[in-house]
Amino acid sequence: MTPQDFSFLRDFLRSQSGLDLADDKRYLVEARLTPIARRAGLADLTALINAIRTSADARLKYAVVEAMTTNESSFFRDRVPFENFRDVMVPRMLQARAARRELRIWCAAASTGQEPYSLALMVREDSRLNGWRVDILATDIAESVMERGKAGTYSQFEVQRGLPIQLLVKYFSQKGDVWELDPTIRRMVRWQKFNLLSSFAGLGRFDIVFCRNVLIYFDRQTKAEVLGRIAGILEPDGYLVLGAAETVVGLTDRFQPVPDKRGLYQIAAPGAQVVPIAPLAATMRSA
Ligand SMILES: C[S@@+](CC[C@H](N)C(=O)[O-])C[C@H]1O[C@@H](n2cnc3c(N)ncnc32)[C@H](O)[C@@H]1O
């Protein structure tokens, strides 16, 4: 791959999915895109990049974008966000939404579904929410991982990562070498393909947004824009949950951290101290 090809691909991916490809990720590009080239009957990566550059084949372009996503996930990943859900967000919402008895949650980069299903399992197990209508929307840019999420089937390895054994026994049944999630839990989650770079109009409003482990792949400007759009669809007393390596600090003044609750944010109160945006050169990130 020539430097020009790499640079074209980097611009293409940034514009399509926000992915900010670091210079040292050439090996990743080759590993992920060579199979796409083969499947499309193209000789090599150079031919694939030329095809993207010159043709209007939307499916091929989408296949490239999708192949470059990283879809790592696990049940109750990083534990703390789910403890915060149980101990901070649900108690607050039980009070604040007592009249409506309705909760709207969005998992904005849901991948193969472990995150929205972890929340669905918590909701089902939480007697405080009996009689509440809890809507969980799971979205992702990558169709193939969403299909896996919708199916709700997980390997032995996947159910062993973070899922408490009592939940496995109670809500999953073993079918051959996979574990299938109970349909009543699967039906608690709505799935929709959604690109975080697109307009949020039409998504509705949410009480809680989980947007975890996706902003790390974006450049500063894209992170700031996405955070601004999330602020626009979050209820004024709602919560934003970010991944362990993500923060709003230095990116936006629309959110403020919830004190002593790692990764948890709320809409900044009017007049709250504006968080200065650090100079671009100060950012070090990788794809
Ligand atoms: C590492 S996974 C995170 C999954 C889950 N949130 C977690 O923390 O376990 C990142 C997901 O973000 C999705 N993604 C990447 N770019 C996106 C975009 N522009 N819009 C929506 N989803 C995107 C990827 O397809 C991938 O499934």
Side-chain angles (χ1 to χ4, degrees):
M1 193 175 20
T2 65
Q4 290 79 1
D5 282 349
F6 186 78
S7 155
F8 167 80
L9 197 60
R10 184 157 52 189
D11 292 347
F12 170 75
L13 289 167
R14 186 177 284 135
S15 71
Q16 299 298 305
S17 69
L19 177 64
D20 184 20
L21 207 53
D23 271 337
D24 61 356
K25 297 290 176 183
R26 279 158 197 268
Y27 74 92
L28 188 74
V29 168
E30 281 171 19
R32 300 254 182 107
L33 297 189
T34 304
I36 305 286
R38 277 206 201 107
R39 230 173 292 147
L42 296 162
D44 54 19
L45 219 51
T46 306
L48 177 67
I49 290 167
N50 275 340
I52 300 170
R53 212 194 294 262
T54 56
S55 97
D57 187 342
R59 287 190 67 79
L60 185 64
K61 290 180 182 176
Y62 177 71
V64 166
V65 169
E66 190 179 45
M68 289 307 299
T69 60
T70 296
N71 313 111
E72 171 78 10
S73 192
S74 56
F75 287 101
F76 298 96
R77 182 175 185 178
D78 298 338
R79 216 185 65 250
V80 170
F82 299 94
E83 291 172 357
N84 287 339
F85 179 72
R86 182 193 61 207
D87 300 337
V88 180
M89 294 178 252
V90 169
R92 168 84 191 116
M93 289 297 148
L94 285 169
Q95 283 187 348
R97 305 287 182 270
R100 206 170 84 192
R101 292 170 79 80
E102 192 182 281
L103 201 53
R104 297 203 65 212
I105 303 171
W106 177 28
C107 287
S111 187
T112 36
Q114 288 93 329
E115 184 177 86
Y117 289 143
S118 298
L119 291 168
L121 288 165
M122 290 189 80
V123 167
R124 174 59 60 87
E125 287 282 297
D126 194 334
S127 58
R128 298 171 299 176
L129 288 167
N130 283 351
W132 281 58
R133 205 183 99 74
V134 181
D135 180 49
I136 304 174
L137 173 66
T139 66
D140 202 283
I141 195 175
E143 280 168 12
S144 55
V145 292
M146 282 205 312
E147 287 310 314
R148 284 207 51 217
K150 283 182 203 168
T153 52
Y154 297 94
S155 68
Q156 182 73 35
F157 174 71
E158 286 169 324
V159 296
Q160 275 170 346
R161 286 179 76 200
L163 184 66
I165 186 77
Q166 64 274 24
L167 293 181
L168 175 65
V169 170
K170 192 165 169 187
Y171 293 108
F172 287 77
S173 43
Q174 198 164 16
K175 299 267 162 71
D177 56 358
V178 297
W179 291 84
E180 194 176 279
L181 180 57
D182 193 297
T184 61
I185 303 294
R186 283 204 325 257
R187 283 197 291 269
M188 291 173 69
V189 175
R190 283 188 298 132
W191 287 90
Q192 184 182 323
K193 182 178 170 186
F194 185 75
N195 185 343
L196 286 165
L197 300 199
S198 61
S199 161
F200 283 26
L203 278 179
R205 298 190 65 77
F206 295 91
D207 302 303
I208 295 170
V209 175
F210 274 63
C211 184
R212 299 168 64 221
N213 303 305
V214 62
L215 295 182
I216 37 167
Y217 300 105
F218 297 167
D219 63 22
R220 290 178 54 80
Q221 192 189 331
T222 311
K223 286 182 217 223
E225 285 168 6
V226 171
L227 287 168
R229 285 202 287 270
I230 293 174
I233 51 88
L234 194 63
E235 294 292 354
D237 59 350
Y239 291 96
L240 166 67
V241 185
L242 296 182
E246 295 162 334
T247 179
V248 305
V249 175
L251 291 168
T252 177
D253 58 1
R254 306 282 302 273
F255 287 101
Q256 60 191 15
V258 175
D260 303 324
K261 298 292 168 194
R262 187 156 53 83
L264 190 59
Y265 300 87
Q266 286 201 284
I267 300 283
Q273 194 194 355
V274 174
V275 181
I277 296 185
L280 275 175
T283 338
M284 290 282 289
R285 60 171 313 281
S286 63

